[in-house]
């Protein structure tokens, strides 16, 4: 059994692609709870890691779609909170698909 047996590959077979949500994604998920709970201006989820995934069509850094990224500047706070809720949903689904469990406290 090889160390890479359970790792999906991307690009080069020498570069393993991490499986499931990263620690950054889990932090984004936790922060989404604060954003969704609090009133006031809604911060951008952008973390300056701007790469779209081929398999899910969301940014690897902020977990938004291209439409969500492009419309952010003109979006109302209510619309931005909806995007944050979608981000939380996407990350939660990714965790569940990996067989993990979530403990996010508000």
């Amino acid at each position: 059994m090889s160390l890479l047996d359970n790792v999906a590959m991307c690009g080069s077979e020498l570069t393993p692609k991490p499986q499931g949500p990263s620690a950054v994604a889990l932090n984004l998920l936790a922060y989404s709870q604060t954003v969704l709970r609090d009133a006031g201006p809604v911060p951008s989820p952008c973390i300056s890691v701007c790469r779209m995934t081929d398999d899910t069509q969301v940014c690897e850094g902020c977990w938004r779609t291209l439409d969500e990224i492009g419309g952010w500047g003109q979006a109302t706070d209510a619309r931005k909170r909806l995007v944050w809720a979608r981000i939380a949903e996407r990350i939660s689904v990714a965790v569940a698909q990996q067989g993990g469990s979530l403990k996010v406290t508000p």
Side-chain angles (χ1 to χ4, degrees):
M1 181 162 137
S2 163
L3 179 62
L4 298 178
D5 283 347
N6 292 322
V7 177
M9 303 308 257
C10 66
S12 166
E13 292 205 8
L14 299 176
T15 307
K17 181 177 181 180
Q19 293 293 302
S22 66
V24 172
L26 297 177
N27 286 338
L28 193 64
L29 176 62
Y31 187 58
S32 73
Q33 303 306 308
T34 300
V35 170
L36 294 171
R37 181 183 60 235
D38 293 349
V42 180
S44 171
C46 181
I47 61 167
S48 298
V49 176
C50 304
R51 286 187 305 265
M52 299 306 288
T53 61
D54 290 333
D55 53 345
T56 63
Q57 295 300 306
V58 297
C59 175
E60 290 181 17
C62 68
W63 288 70
R64 291 181 292 173
T65 65
L66 283 175
D67 287 341
E68 291 166 345
I69 293 167
W72 188 264
Q74 297 78 33
T76 64
D77 281 347
R79 177 78 175 157
K80 290 176 180 180
R81 282 189 178 81
L82 177 61
V83 171
W84 271 100
R86 289 178 180 160
I87 291 166
E89 170 84 16
R90 289 176 189 131
I91 297 170
S92 296
V93 167
V95 168
Q97 288 175 341
Q98 293 300 312
S101 62
L102 287 178
K103 285 195 176 183
V104 178
T105 55

